[in-house]
Amino acid sequence: MNSENPYRLLADWLEKEAADIRTIEREAYVALHEQNDDSAYRDLMRSKALKLASLAEQGDNIVDVKDRPDLRSAMNRISRFSQSAAQSLEVGSVFFMSALLYPEEHKDGEANDLENFIAELKSLA
């Protein structure tokens, strides 16, 4: 474990994950809307969900909450991202996978839930 500020460590790591997810989403948009490739779109949405589903386990390797009860809330939030993604994979719903990170009232160009969480972590760092 690293001795740096754990909120900063989580924010930096999640920032890279969020950027990867945005890239997957852009590729999925092109596949669906420009190439009319439903299969590629499904595969990309599955990749997004798999990446999100793995966040909780990866986060446990980045920070140790054993001696830091203040981190439990942040780790629980990461776990909820993972649980929602795992559920979308279990159900096999491409719509569910595409909606991960986006509340119903989300508007294009706004930050998604993961990006908003990263901003919260940065404010605690």
Side-chain angles (χ1 to χ4, degrees):
M1 299 287 162
N2 198 317
S3 63
E4 287 183 58
N5 182 303
Y7 294 106
R8 170 57 57 193
L9 289 171
L10 286 172
D12 290 349
W13 161 66
L14 285 173
E15 218 162 31
K16 182 193 176 321
E17 298 299 310
D20 290 350
I21 289 166
R22 283 288 190 175
T23 298
I24 291 168
E25 290 174 331
R26 278 192 299 277
E27 291 172 1
Y29 180 90
V30 169
L32 185 63
H33 297 286
E34 295 176 18
Q35 300 168 343
N36 293 324
D37 189 342
D38 290 342
S39 178
Y41 178 77
R42 258 189 322 277
D43 290 345
L44 287 160
M45 286 296 102
R46 183 169 163 71
S47 293
K48 171 188 172 182
L50 286 167
K51 181 170 266 306
L52 285 167
S54 72
L55 290 182
E57 185 177 336
Q58 290 180 46
D60 287 342
N61 293 323
I62 292 178
V63 296
D64 185 1
V65 298
K66 182 177 47 186
D67 297 324
R68 295 289 308 259
D70 58 316
L71 290 176
R72 285 196 185 108
S73 176
M75 298 309 287
N76 286 339
R77 182 97 178 261
I78 292 169
S79 183
R80 285 195 303 274
F81 287 123
S82 290
Q83 290 169 354
S84 293
Q87 187 177 15
S88 76
L89 290 163
E90 284 177 29
V91 180
S93 168
V94 175
F95 174 76
F96 190 177
M97 292 175 202
S98 69
L100 290 168
L101 303 179
Y102 298 97
E104 199 171 310
E105 67 277 359
H106 183 267
K107 293 177 181 46
D108 283 343
E110 292 179 344
N112 64 38
D113 287 346
L114 180 58
E115 292 161 340
N116 288 330
F117 177 56
I118 293 166
E120 290 174 35
L121 290 173
K122 286 181 176 182
S123 74
L124 296 170

